[in-house]
Amino acid sequence: MSRKFTLDASAPQFKDVPTPATFDRNAFTKSFDILAIRAPASKIASILRAPEMKGSILDLQKVRTVEADPTDPKNCRLILLKFANKAELSEKALNFLEQSDFQGLVPYTITLGYDHWTADEIINVVIPEHLRDGAPSGFAITGHIAHVNLTPDYVPYRRLIGQIILDKNKTIRTVVNKLDSIDSVFRFFKMDLIAGEPDFVVEHHETDCSFTFDFREVYWNSRLHTEHGRLVEMFSPNDVVADVFAGVGPFAVPAGKRGCAVFANDLNPNSAKYLKINVDRNGVNDFVRVFCEDGRDFIHSIFRRASLKPFPALVGPWLSKSQLRKIKKAGEYQPPSESDNDRPPRKRIDHFVMNLPDSAITFLDAFRGVLALPKVREVYDVLPMIHCYCFTRELEPEKAEVDIRQRVEEKLGSQLINEVSLHWVRSVAPNKEMYCISFRLPSEVALAS
């Protein structure tokens, strides 16, 4: 009967914590002596598929199961086994091999090096032993920047952690640790460069769009890419969207690519600067107008501005430049008809996006009286949907909904009745959840004096 044999493929343990200068990658070397089946190349597939060999063949991440036989590399292969000697193989496996056309069992040595283990595995063995249970795990990527959120216990080892992340991710050139301090007005994080180049201007790709920005100067969260896509998918190409806290355009630019007319605003001058760059680079200048104003002032004025200086109607299905070139090349392009040109301009705002979860709810009272002017009011046979992002400390969905609705209704000065929905976005911290509440703007709020 075979005995259970387990290869300890964990990273070598360190007693002393190295510094980036003394960090020896060659110390991460581990060797194992095992057995290998020597067999003709033509028989390898049948041996690998054989049920009798299940549980005997080596299955180790980043290690090939089959290697060339150094004594006859053209005709023979070696199938690596989990075991160090023949007695450890099961009786079924031995019987199968004896009946197969194999050429014996031979010794083989596996050597694992620094490249074998992940960043998390390396970090977990080089930091002090008493900190290993809560060792940093994972990081977010924005363009060529990896950003981590280290708790105070791990900050003394940040340079070492950053260097390991840099080693293990070839597309990463810069590693930063986000600091606790947040800019109180523009909400971007202050950060500490812990490894790599001091290059903070990134090019990030999301939802078929390209975004350029200085990561130090604006707010960006790569973990929200799914949410950006979810909300934009709700917009119809003919819709008009007002993005109150637009940042560098994660909602505004893809909405513009969809054909939506977008009024995109952000108080941060650097966000507005990069928003204009991203609008231009993505070819949506005709669909996105950029503003740099206080969110409250923007809400107060945008209804009137959308009415006085509206976007033109969307003529036919909106096509990107590449799609248009492809259709023209195929001879399938049809120019807009005269009836298309007679369509009225888009004066009515259909959606408001308010992605400032820390304080967006406090801006909702700015909607009071936005349709007080008769000329503006006559455009709105249907009032816009509001999509407001927020945080809550309530972890149960039912309690979270009660908490969020209560705060929204208090700020609006009105109950939410029509088309109200709550969407969970993500867990921000152990006791902090992010939600998006969507609702139709109540008429008594819009018409308030």
Side-chain angles (χ1 to χ4, degrees):
M1 181 179 291
S2 65
R3 65 183 177 86
K4 188 174 181 181
F5 177 80
T6 305
L7 294 177
D8 179 12
S10 60
Q13 300 294 310
F14 278 65
K15 289 185 179 179
D16 299 321
V17 180
T19 66
T22 63
F23 184 49
D24 183 9
R25 293 157 184 79
N26 293 324
F28 288 86
T29 303
K30 225 174 188 183
S31 296
F32 307 94
D33 293 325
I34 59 171
L35 288 178
I37 302 167
R38 176 185 284 137
S42 60
K43 297 292 183 180
I44 296 300
S46 61
I47 295 174
L48 292 174
R49 289 197 301 263
E52 294 86 348
M53 297 306 299
K54 187 176 181 181
S56 298
I57 295 172
L58 183 70
D59 181 17
L60 191 61
Q61 191 175 15
K62 297 183 183 178
V63 176
R64 296 174 60 177
T65 301
V66 179
E67 293 285 357
D69 181 357
T71 65
D72 188 5
K74 288 187 177 180
N75 302 306
C76 287
R77 301 289 183 270
L78 299 180
I79 300 176
L80 308 188
L81 298 176
K82 291 181 177 179
F83 309 115
N85 59 70
K86 187 175 179 179
E88 293 163 347
L89 274 166
S90 69
E91 187 176 341
K92 282 196 291 186
L94 285 170
N95 290 337
F96 170 78
L97 291 174
E98 288 171 1
Q99 296 168 13
S100 303
D101 184 14
F102 87 111
Q103 299 172 5
L105 298 173
V106 297
Y108 190 89
T109 300
I110 299 173
T111 301
L112 305 180
Y114 182 71
D115 290 341
H116 175 77
W117 291 283
T118 65
D120 289 350
E121 290 171 321
I122 298 289
I123 291 169
N124 200 53
V125 297
V126 298
I127 60 176
E129 191 171 350
H130 69 281
L131 293 176
R132 291 177 184 176
D133 283 346
S137 177
F139 50 88
I141 297 177
T142 302
H144 66 271
I145 296 177
H147 44 107
V148 294
N149 297 302
L150 299 179
T151 58
D153 286 342
Y154 298 95
V155 170
Y157 314 103
R158 64 192 184 281
R159 311 282 181 208
L160 180 60
I161 291 169
Q163 186 58 55
I164 294 168
I165 292 173
L166 203 61
D167 287 347
K168 293 293 180 177
N169 298 272
K170 302 308 178 188
T171 61
I172 299 300
R173 303 199 311 272
T174 305
V175 186
V176 299
N177 177 40
K178 284 187 175 181
L179 303 178
D180 287 337
S181 55
I182 301 174
D183 184 270
S184 59
V185 178
F186 299 140
R187 306 300 298 167
F188 56 81
F189 289 88
K190 295 183 179 177
M191 57 193 68
D192 176 26
L193 175 68
I194 60 175
E197 306 169 10
D199 179 7
F200 302 99
V201 178
V202 304
E203 182 173 326
H204 188 80
H205 297 273
E206 181 180 294
T207 55
D208 295 324
C209 299
S210 174
F211 297 94
T212 296
F213 51 89
D214 189 323
F215 195 54
R216 298 167 302 178
E217 298 177 345
V218 305
Y219 179 82
W220 180 275
N221 191 331
S222 297
R223 293 187 174 96
L224 293 176
H225 70 277
T226 301
E227 179 59 19
H228 297 154
R230 180 194 74 87
L231 194 63
V232 171
E233 283 292 321
M234 294 174 61
F235 304 153
S236 297
N238 286 301
D239 284 347
V240 178
V241 179
D243 193 348
V244 184
F245 313 108
V248 298
F251 292 106
V253 172
K257 274 203 166 186
R258 204 173 165 80
C260 299
V262 185
F263 297 98
N265 174 70
D266 202 279
L267 178 62
N268 182 349
N270 289 314
S271 293
K273 177 182 75 174
Y274 284 109
L275 175 55
K276 288 179 181 177
I277 291 172
N278 295 327
V279 166
D280 183 63
R281 291 188 62 180
N282 287 276
V284 291
N285 302 72
D286 293 338
F287 296 88
V288 182
R289 297 176 189 169
V290 177
F291 302 84
C292 183
E293 302 175 359
D294 174 75
R296 190 176 298 278
D297 295 337
F298 176 76
I299 293 170
H300 275 309
S301 63
I302 199 62
F303 285 85
R304 180 177 55 82
R305 284 189 282 191
S307 176
L308 295 176
K309 193 178 179 182
F311 279 90
L314 181 65
V315 178
W318 185 81
L319 302 171
S320 67
K321 291 181 179 177
S322 60
Q323 289 172 322
L324 188 59
R325 283 195 300 268
K326 186 176 179 181
I327 290 174
K328 286 183 175 180
K329 188 175 180 180
E332 298 174 354
Y333 175 70
Q334 293 183 350
S337 65
E338 290 186 10
S339 59
D340 286 332
N341 294 326
D342 291 337
R343 292 180 183 178
R346 296 185 272 184
K347 294 185 176 184
R348 187 189 69 200
I349 300 173
D350 301 281
H351 299 272
F352 274 84
V353 180
M354 302 179 69
N355 184 26
L356 191 66
D358 192 58
S359 58
I361 287 178
T362 66
F363 286 78
L364 290 174
D365 60 336
F367 285 99
R368 295 189 62 80
V370 289
L371 297 184
L373 292 175
K375 287 187 178 181
V376 177
R377 187 188 314 152
E378 65 186 18
V379 175
Y380 286 86
D381 52 325
V382 178
L383 291 171
M385 288 292 296
I386 313 296
H387 308 281
C388 183
Y389 289 87
C390 59
F391 295 132
T392 179
R393 296 287 181 183
E394 298 292 349
L395 304 184
E396 297 178 18
E398 295 80 7
K399 291 183 178 179
E401 181 172 5
V402 171
D403 170 55
I404 293 168
R405 284 189 68 136
Q406 180 179 342
R407 288 188 284 141
V408 168
E409 290 177 345
E410 181 180 339
K411 206 64 186 174
L412 286 172
S414 173
Q415 285 190 327
L416 298 180
I417 300 173
N418 296 321
E419 301 174 65
V420 185
S421 64
L422 195 68
H423 174 77
W424 178 84
V425 178
R426 70 186 189 101
S427 294
V428 178
N431 294 302
K432 193 175 184 180
E433 305 291 291
M434 180 177 174
Y435 280 85
C436 175
I437 183 169
S438 297
F439 58 91
R440 185 74 64 186
L441 180 63
S443 58
E444 58 267 30
V445 174
L447 299 173
S449 56

PDB file of all heavy atoms in Angstrom, residues 245-260:
ATOM      1  N   PHE A 245     -20.648  65.064 -10.481  1.00  0.00           N
ATOM      2  CA  PHE A 245     -19.294  64.888  -9.955  1.00  0.00           C
ATOM      3  C   PHE A 245     -18.548  63.956 -10.917  1.00  0.00           C
ATOM      4  O   PHE A 245     -18.246  62.806 -10.593  1.00  0.00           O
ATOM      5  CB  PHE A 245     -19.334  64.310  -8.546  1.00  0.00           C
ATOM      6  CG  PHE A 245     -20.324  64.999  -7.635  1.00  0.00           C
ATOM      7  CD1 PHE A 245     -21.506  64.371  -7.245  1.00  0.00           C
ATOM      8  CD2 PHE A 245     -20.085  66.291  -7.177  1.00  0.00           C
ATOM      9  CE1 PHE A 245     -22.416  64.997  -6.405  1.00  0.00           C
ATOM     10  CE2 PHE A 245     -20.985  66.932  -6.347  1.00  0.00           C
ATOM     11  CZ  PHE A 245     -22.159  66.286  -5.959  1.00  0.00           C
ATOM     12  N   ALA A 246     -18.245  64.452 -12.086  1.00  0.00           N
ATOM     13  CA  ALA A 246     -17.838  63.597 -13.208  1.00  0.00           C
ATOM     14  C   ALA A 246     -16.423  63.052 -13.101  1.00  0.00           C
ATOM     15  O   ALA A 246     -16.082  62.089 -13.791  1.00  0.00           O
ATOM     16  CB  ALA A 246     -17.987  64.363 -14.520  1.00  0.00           C
ATOM     17  N   GLY A 247     -15.566  63.648 -12.271  1.00  0.00           N
ATOM     18  CA  GLY A 247     -14.185  63.199 -12.221  1.00  0.00           C
ATOM     19  C   GLY A 247     -13.528  63.348 -13.583  1.00  0.00           C
ATOM     20  O   GLY A 247     -13.695  64.350 -14.267  1.00  0.00           O
ATOM     21  N   VAL A 248     -12.790  62.312 -13.995  1.00  0.00           N
ATOM     22  CA  VAL A 248     -12.112  62.352 -15.301  1.00  0.00           C
ATOM     23  C   VAL A 248     -12.946  61.682 -16.386  1.00  0.00           C
ATOM     24  O   VAL A 248     -12.476  61.498 -17.504  1.00  0.00           O
ATOM     25  CB  VAL A 248     -10.709  61.720 -15.222  1.00  0.00           C
ATOM     26  CG1 VAL A 248      -9.835  62.492 -14.255  1.00  0.00           C
ATOM     27  CG2 VAL A 248     -10.782  60.240 -14.841  1.00  0.00           C
ATOM     28  N   GLY A 249     -14.200  61.311 -16.036  1.00  0.00           N
ATOM     29  CA  GLY A 249     -15.128  60.850 -17.068  1.00  0.00           C
ATOM     30  C   GLY A 249     -15.478  59.377 -17.121  1.00  0.00           C
ATOM     31  O   GLY A 249     -15.878  58.910 -18.184  1.00  0.00           O
ATOM     32  N   PRO A 250     -15.407  58.592 -16.017  1.00  0.00           N
ATOM     33  CA  PRO A 250     -15.732  57.168 -16.121  1.00  0.00           C
ATOM     34  C   PRO A 250     -17.180  56.880 -16.482  1.00  0.00           C
ATOM     35  O   PRO A 250     -17.481  55.811 -17.020  1.00  0.00           O
ATOM     36  CB  PRO A 250     -15.384  56.611 -14.733  1.00  0.00           C
ATOM     37  CG  PRO A 250     -15.441  57.799 -13.821  1.00  0.00           C
ATOM     38  CD  PRO A 250     -14.980  58.959 -14.650  1.00  0.00           C
ATOM     39  N   PHE A 251     -18.096  57.804 -16.188  1.00  0.00           N
ATOM     40  CA  PHE A 251     -19.484  57.689 -16.654  1.00  0.00           C
ATOM     41  C   PHE A 251     -19.690  58.513 -17.926  1.00  0.00           C
ATOM     42  O   PHE A 251     -20.331  58.063 -18.874  1.00  0.00           O
ATOM     43  CB  PHE A 251     -20.471  58.166 -15.581  1.00  0.00           C
ATOM     44  CG  PHE A 251     -20.558  57.309 -14.360  1.00  0.00           C
ATOM     45  CD1 PHE A 251     -19.994  57.709 -13.165  1.00  0.00           C
ATOM     46  CD2 PHE A 251     -21.206  56.080 -14.394  1.00  0.00           C
ATOM     47  CE1 PHE A 251     -20.067  56.931 -12.028  1.00  0.00           C
ATOM     48  CE2 PHE A 251     -21.291  55.293 -13.268  1.00  0.00           C
ATOM     49  CZ  PHE A 251     -20.718  55.713 -12.078  1.00  0.00           C
ATOM     50  N   ALA A 252     -19.164  59.729 -17.932  1.00  0.00           N
ATOM     51  CA  ALA A 252     -19.460  60.682 -19.008  1.00  0.00           C
ATOM     52  C   ALA A 252     -18.917  60.235 -20.357  1.00  0.00           C
ATOM     53  O   ALA A 252     -19.623  60.315 -21.380  1.00  0.00           O
ATOM     54  CB  ALA A 252     -18.889  62.059 -18.650  1.00  0.00           C
ATOM     55  N   VAL A 253     -17.676  59.760 -20.398  1.00  0.00           N
ATOM     56  CA  VAL A 253     -17.064  59.408 -21.683  1.00  0.00           C
ATOM     57  C   VAL A 253     -17.740  58.190 -22.322  1.00  0.00           C
ATOM     58  O   VAL A 253     -18.139  58.249 -23.496  1.00  0.00           O
ATOM     59  CB  VAL A 253     -15.542  59.206 -21.528  1.00  0.00           C
ATOM     60  CG1 VAL A 253     -14.940  58.642 -22.813  1.00  0.00           C
ATOM     61  CG2 VAL A 253     -14.872  60.525 -21.158  1.00  0.00           C
ATOM     62  N   PRO A 254     -17.933  57.070 -21.595  1.00  0.00           N
ATOM     63  CA  PRO A 254     -18.638  55.945 -22.230  1.00  0.00           C
ATOM     64  C   PRO A 254     -20.084  56.270 -22.572  1.00  0.00           C
ATOM     65  O   PRO A 254     -20.622  55.756 -23.551  1.00  0.00           O
ATOM     66  CB  PRO A 254     -18.535  54.811 -21.207  1.00  0.00           C
ATOM     67  CG  PRO A 254     -18.136  55.440 -19.933  1.00  0.00           C
ATOM     68  CD  PRO A 254     -17.389  56.683 -20.281  1.00  0.00           C
ATOM     69  N   ALA A 255     -20.733  57.146 -21.792  1.00  0.00           N
ATOM     70  CA  ALA A 255     -22.091  57.559 -22.144  1.00  0.00           C
ATOM     71  C   ALA A 255     -22.079  58.345 -23.449  1.00  0.00           C
ATOM     72  O   ALA A 255     -22.953  58.175 -24.312  1.00  0.00           O
ATOM     73  CB  ALA A 255     -22.699  58.396 -21.015  1.00  0.00           C
ATOM     74  N   GLY A 256     -21.073  59.218 -23.609  1.00  0.00           N
ATOM     75  CA  GLY A 256     -20.930  59.953 -24.866  1.00  0.00           C
ATOM     76  C   GLY A 256     -20.678  59.020 -26.029  1.00  0.00           C
ATOM     77  O   GLY A 256     -21.208  59.216 -27.132  1.00  0.00           O
ATOM     78  N   LYS A 257     -19.883  57.998 -25.805  1.00  0.00           N
ATOM     79  CA  LYS A 257     -19.631  57.018 -26.873  1.00  0.00           C
ATOM     80  C   LYS A 257     -20.901  56.276 -27.257  1.00  0.00           C
ATOM     81  O   LYS A 257     -21.031  55.776 -28.371  1.00  0.00           O
ATOM     82  CB  LYS A 257     -18.569  56.015 -26.416  1.00  0.00           C
ATOM     83  CG  LYS A 257     -17.143  56.477 -26.657  1.00  0.00           C
ATOM     84  CD  LYS A 257     -16.196  55.308 -26.721  1.00  0.00           C
ATOM     85  CE  LYS A 257     -14.857  55.726 -27.282  1.00  0.00           C
ATOM     86  NZ  LYS A 257     -13.956  54.573 -27.475  1.00  0.00           N
ATOM     87  N   ARG A 258     -21.811  56.212 -26.333  1.00  0.00           N
ATOM     88  CA  ARG A 258     -23.088  55.532 -26.579  1.00  0.00           C
ATOM     89  C   ARG A 258     -24.040  56.395 -27.404  1.00  0.00           C
ATOM     90  O   ARG A 258     -25.061  55.920 -27.896  1.00  0.00           O
ATOM     91  CB  ARG A 258     -23.703  55.208 -25.221  1.00  0.00           C
ATOM     92  CG  ARG A 258     -24.664  54.078 -25.160  1.00  0.00           C
ATOM     93  CD  ARG A 258     -25.019  53.795 -23.718  1.00  0.00           C
ATOM     94  NE  ARG A 258     -26.191  52.956 -23.641  1.00  0.00           N
ATOM     95  CZ  ARG A 258     -26.179  51.639 -23.802  1.00  0.00           C
ATOM     96  NH1 ARG A 258     -25.052  51.023 -24.040  1.00  0.00           N
ATOM     97  NH2 ARG A 258     -27.299  50.941 -23.734  1.00  0.00           N
ATOM     98  N   GLY A 259     -23.711  57.695 -27.521  1.00  0.00           N
ATOM     99  CA  GLY A 259     -24.566  58.625 -28.243  1.00  0.00           C
ATOM    100  C   GLY A 259     -25.303  59.584 -27.346  1.00  0.00           C
ATOM    101  O   GLY A 259     -25.999  60.492 -27.822  1.00  0.00           O
ATOM    102  N   CYS A 260     -25.181  59.392 -26.024  1.00  0.00           N
ATOM    103  CA  CYS A 260     -25.855  60.282 -25.082  1.00  0.00           C
ATOM    104  C   CYS A 260     -25.254  61.687 -25.157  1.00  0.00           C
ATOM    105  O   CYS A 260     -24.071  61.863 -25.457  1.00  0.00           O
ATOM    106  CB  CYS A 260     -25.709  59.765 -23.652  1.00  0.00           C
ATOM    107  SG  CYS A 260     -26.412  58.134 -23.351  1.00  0.00           S
TER     108      CYS A 260
END
